[in-house]
Amino acid sequence: MSVYLDGQFLPLAEAKVSPLDRGFVFGDGVYELVPVYSRKPFRLEEHLRRLQGSLDGIRLANPHGVARWCELVEQLIALQDFDDQSVYLQITRGTPESGQTPRDHAFPLGVAPTVFMFSQPLVSATLAQKEAGVCAITAPDIRWGRCDIKAISLLANVLARQQAVEAGCAETVMLRDGFLSEGAASNIFAVKNGVLLAPPPSLLILTGITYDVVLELAAAHGIPSALRSISEAELRGVDELWMTSSTKEIMPIVRLDGTPVGNGKQGPMARQMDALYQQFKQQVMRA
Ligand code: PDD
């Protein structure tokens, strides 16, 4: 597998990072995950814009301009022997140099960031899998106050997702102070009485690229939608619940904490939105 590390494409086995890297020691870095269909990155500019927002959020200068990032992503894609990919890119605050304190919370001065990228096959859910949907559990959202930053420090998300796996489920839907925030690695949409609902963008959720596409498609096709807080009580009485992300696209959640959501199957709006999403993807990929 060919990966990218600090200016070079090289076999994974040759990619070496110091154990003193701030990413390893502090989780001091940010990332993006870009879906690639038939070797074309989907919504790359939007991912790069969000990356800039994350870098600004942690006060780390962007090592590359948009054009250079696009080139690097294209080169990485071309080096893989599979067409549908999920490209991971990560930037950390780098490794303190000799003569600098090896571990100090404060930023090291004059250190180059570490840039790492790799790609893995993207396996999209089949129609049958979407029809069947997945189950989810709920758990308190124990994360920090800047969940809008796509930070590599994902301990709370990791613990939440593991809890889902141990319950035989696909996702954990997180609640903060009695209100829906998002999934461990996804945004959550609900449908009630024909209206698509989701929490609005805030510091307490990651505004997904998929989330934005879903809302754009809803607006373009006359599907009523509202961005507002959703209480736990309301969440437990919705007609449909979906998780959305770059890798899962629009996946219906059909059981929540063991209770069927709506009629316990993929709902009509999920089916419609998935069709619109697939159509939109095709359109973008042809462009
Ligand atoms: N995660 N919220 C969280 C906490 C996420 O980790 C993700 C995606 C999303 C959805 O964002 P997007 O639609 O841009 O993928 C929301 C990625 C897939 C990951 O960490 O693997």
Side-chain angles (χ1 to χ4, degrees):
M1 172 160 95
S2 283
V3 304
Y4 172 89
L5 181 66
D6 293 337
Q8 269 186 297
F9 288 94
L10 70 184
L12 176 64
E14 289 170 26
K16 301 277 188 282
V17 178
S18 164
L20 289 180
D21 188 273
R22 303 271 303 185
F24 191 59
V25 174
F26 290 114
D28 184 357
V30 297
Y31 76 105
E32 274 299 324
L33 193 139
V34 185
V36 174
Y37 301 103
S38 307
R39 298 191 178 268
K40 289 196 177 170
F42 182 63
R43 291 245 151 172
L44 181 56
E45 274 179 33
E46 287 81 355
H47 279 278
L48 292 175
R49 200 171 309 134
R50 184 171 67 184
L51 176 67
Q52 185 63 56
S54 296
L55 288 166
D56 293 345
I58 71 162
R59 298 169 54 196
L60 183 59
N62 196 333
H64 303 303
V66 170
R68 181 69 184 141
W69 275 119
C70 291
E71 266 171 29
L72 290 174
V73 168
E74 263 165 40
Q75 288 173 38
L76 183 73
I77 292 170
L79 285 170
Q80 313 307 316
D81 54 14
F82 38 90
D83 294 338
D84 290 352
Q85 307 184 15
S86 93
V87 166
Y88 177 88
L89 58 96
Q90 162 176 313
I91 305 151
T92 74
R93 210 180 303 277
T95 304
E97 279 154 21
S98 57
Q100 290 184 318
T101 310
R103 181 179 178 277
D104 180 350
H105 287 64
F107 302 169
L109 296 177
V111 166
T114 303
V115 179
F116 173 55
M117 302 203 298
F118 75 98
S119 179
Q120 56 187 20
L122 177 63
V123 184
S124 299
T126 61
L127 277 179
Q129 284 168 331
K130 289 176 206 167
E131 184 72 37
V134 294
C135 75
I137 56 169
T138 57
D141 189 341
I142 58 167
R143 297 173 303 161
W144 69 327
R146 289 302 307 275
C147 301
D148 60 314
I149 297 173
K150 203 162 170 59
I152 61 167
S153 14
L154 284 171
L155 197 44
N157 306 64
V158 165
L159 292 171
R161 177 55 79 77
Q162 184 60 22
Q163 217 177 315
V165 168
E166 286 170 12
C169 286
E171 185 58 305
T172 292
V173 173
M174 299 188 289
L175 295 156
R176 195 188 287 256
D177 301 329
F179 288 88
L180 167 67
S181 54
E182 60 183 334
S186 62
N187 289 112
I188 305 292
F189 283 86
V191 177
K192 184 69 183 176
N193 300 329
V195 181
L196 180 61
L197 302 170
S202 76
L203 299 181
L204 297 181
I205 67 166
L206 181 79
T207 307
I209 305 299
T210 322
Y211 168 101
D212 282 342
V213 174
V214 164
L215 291 171
E216 279 174 36
L217 289 172
H221 293 86
I223 297 170
S225 66
L227 296 182
R228 61 167 175 78
S229 306
I230 299 165
S231 71
E232 178 172 357
E234 190 178 11
L235 182 73
R236 295 192 188 281
V238 297
D239 303 326
E240 297 185 29
L241 204 58
W242 318 337
M243 58 188 281
T244 70
S245 79
S246 295
T247 48
K248 299 285 189 301
E249 299 188 339
I250 299 148
M251 178 55 85
I253 294 173
V254 297
R255 290 183 85 80
L256 188 64
D257 292 330
T259 304
V261 178
N263 65 5
K265 293 197 202 117
Q266 183 188 39
M269 201 185 282
R271 197 171 298 117
Q272 182 188 4
M273 185 54 76
D274 185 52
L276 292 173
Y277 193 84
Q278 300 310 325
Q279 225 176 58
F280 180 73
K281 254 168 55 179
Q282 297 301 326
Q283 220 173 294
V284 174
M285 293 306 119
R286 270 198 302 268

